[in-house]
Amino acid sequence: MEKMKLLDFIIEQYERSSKWDNETSGNASFRIEEKHYKIIGKSALIEEAKELENSDLLKIRWVKGYYNIDIEKVEYPLSNMAYFYQISKRKPKYIAVAEQKDMVMKYYLTFKKPWIRSYIESEVLPKLEKGDYEKKPEKMEQLYQCLSGLDRLESPIFKRVFSKRYLNNSKVFEKELQKKIIGIARKYGDFVEDTMDYSMEDSDVLNQLYIEEYSQELNIKGKLRIKVEGSLIDTGCFPYGTVLNSQTIKNAIILDNPQITKILTIENKANFTAEPMEEGTLIIFSHGYFSPLERNFLKELADNLSGQPVTYLHSGDLDFGGICIFRYIKKQIFPQVKPYRMDKDIFNKYKSFGEPIEEVKLEKLKKMEEPMLQELINLIIKTGLVIEQEAYL
């Protein structure tokens, strides 16, 4: 018997019901509607139903007065479902769900990162328990290969290198998985600043996962003593600043730095470049949100300096994003940080350079509370203006 569309309708209804988990006792029925006729044609559907009835697989209930013309519903014993699947060449749902559970658990037992485990515990397994499974299992396998790769990452890797290494194709991550992974990370990763107040850019989320578009570089200005591959390095000899690439950040040993009395992070590159070198001050370009590698390096530096008096400052745009970046640095890196050039006097001084704030950001700003920047927040709300740091130059 060739594959029949009516059986697909019956199977799809069965799989949406509570009986999908291989229940075979009792009877069920399928009501024929006009939309079913339209899909395969009325005469074709009626002929299929008759063929199945002649095989004792179901019974036809005709619309009263329309015998052989219009079907009201078909009735069948649930014990026939296994044969329906066989004829339709479809895998029973309970088998597909069980296979996917086995696959998920195989990966789950290897995962170490909390955000990936939380995703499986809170979302994947509960859905499978309800019978909500991936209709294209090869796509699910690909996702878990990707998660397995992300679980192993402990240092930055270029996006296409990651894709080639873990997915056997340099472009498949960006084309098919990036959006899904970013969504999972936003929902389950506590390292992602994604609240009712503010959402990280997608590129920032990827950086938190160690996925890079380009090599990470930490721009600094001032005297910092580190040791790399046995060599002592003192960045104070670069009067206009220098750059530590990702390999340097990863392998550097931070030495004692009693000369540091202030650390100033600056959001924008032009302002960082223009900031003059000052004795005892280490100036760092934040470029928005620090990546995990940079964040860990700076936290290690702060730990190294914990026994001496150090002032921590951050200077950013006088806008919604600048306020959120300040909060991120305070929460994730330097708890003692205070705002610098992010106050009422600076706002009023450069107000003529202000630009209208986006309505959606204004509404979010109205709900934000940040005691150290509340005066600035109130000014932005009152005037409807925001000011970028470059206005100071």
Side-chain angles (χ1 to χ4, degrees), residues 26-149:
N27 299 305
S29 63
F30 179 79
R31 188 170 295 277
I32 304 297
E33 299 177 12
E34 190 64 30
K35 64 181 179 181
H36 300 119
Y37 287 139
K38 288 181 179 179
I39 292 173
I40 60 175
K42 189 168 188 176
S43 60
L45 190 149
I46 289 174
E47 288 305 312
E48 286 187 14
K50 286 181 177 180
E51 185 176 347
L52 291 166
E53 185 177 49
N54 291 334
S55 300
D56 293 327
L57 294 173
L58 55 75
K59 183 174 181 58
I60 300 174
R61 296 294 182 187
W62 300 97
V63 175
K64 188 175 182 180
Y66 289 85
Y67 182 76
N68 275 344
I69 298 175
D70 200 357
I71 299 174
E72 179 185 351
K73 63 181 177 180
V74 295
E75 300 171 339
Y76 56 92
L78 288 172
S79 58
N80 285 348
M81 286 305 304
Y83 191 52
F84 288 169
Y85 276 109
Q86 182 181 340
I87 297 172
S88 301
K89 297 179 181 179
R90 291 175 60 162
K91 182 180 293 185
K93 180 176 178 178
Y94 76 94
I95 293 179
V97 170
E99 289 177 349
Q100 289 191 15
K101 280 184 183 177
D102 288 343
M103 188 272 287
V104 169
M105 289 306 299
K106 178 189 73 174
Y107 279 101
Y108 173 76
L109 293 173
T110 69
F111 291 146
K112 296 181 177 63
K113 293 187 176 177
W115 69 276
I116 301 178
R117 293 178 66 88
S118 293
Y119 163 62
I120 295 173
E121 294 165 355
S122 304
E123 189 166 325
V124 179
L125 291 176
K127 283 185 176 180
L128 285 172
E129 288 297 330
K130 295 177 182 177
D132 186 359
Y133 70 108
E134 173 58 59
K135 303 303 189 294
K136 296 180 179 178
E138 66 279 3
K139 291 292 184 184
M140 192 172 189
E141 182 75 39
Q142 186 182 64
L143 171 63
Y144 279 81
Q145 288 174 356
C146 181
L147 289 171
S148 183

Side-chain angles (χ1 to χ4, degrees), residues 113 115 146 150 153 155-160 162 173-174 177-186 191-192 200-214 216 289-293 295:
K113 293 187 176 177
W115 69 276
C146 181
L150 291 168
L153 292 184
S155 60
I157 186 172
F158 290 124
K159 183 192 296 184
R160 292 197 171 184
F162 170 84
F173 174 78
E174 186 169 10
L177 292 163
Q178 178 172 304
K179 184 177 180 180
K180 174 75 172 179
I181 292 297
I182 289 173
I184 295 171
R186 287 189 186 281
F191 47 82
V192 178
M200 276 185 172
E201 297 292 335
D202 286 352
S203 58
D204 291 317
V205 175
L206 289 177
N207 280 340
Q208 304 305 306
L209 301 178
Y210 293 108
I211 300 292
E212 293 185 335
E213 294 277 3
Y214 48 85
Q216 293 178 21
Y289 293 93
F290 289 109
S291 70
L293 186 67
R295 185 178 68 224

Side-chain angles (χ1 to χ4, degrees), residues 339-358:
Y340 177 63
R341 296 177 184 164
M342 298 180 74
D343 54 35
K344 178 179 70 174
D345 292 340
I346 291 293
F347 186 93
N348 289 329
K349 182 177 181 179
Y350 296 100
K351 188 165 64 174
S352 61
F353 293 95
E355 300 175 18
I357 186 173
E358 296 174 33

Side-chain angles (χ1 to χ4, degrees), residues 323 347 362 365-366 368-371 373-385:
I323 294 167
F347 186 93
L362 178 61
L365 198 62
K366 289 177 180 178
M368 181 183 285
E369 292 184 7
E370 176 50 58
L373 291 170
Q374 200 59 51
E375 191 173 58
L376 173 62
I377 291 171
N378 294 341
L379 268 174
I380 295 173
I381 294 171
K382 180 180 178 180
T383 63
L385 297 175

Side-chain angles (χ1 to χ4, degrees), residues 264-268 271 286 288 313-326 329 338-343 346 373 376 387-390 392:
L264 169 62
T265 56
I266 298 179
E267 179 182 347
N268 294 315
N271 296 75
S286 80
L313 301 173
H314 173 72
S315 179
D317 292 335
L318 309 185
D319 62 9
F320 183 66
I323 294 167
C324 290
I325 290 169
F326 170 82
I329 292 172
K338 296 178 181 179
Y340 177 63
R341 296 177 184 164
M342 298 180 74
D343 54 35
I346 291 293
L373 291 170
L376 173 62
I387 304 169
E388 295 184 338
Q389 273 189 304
E390 287 86 350
Y392 311 165

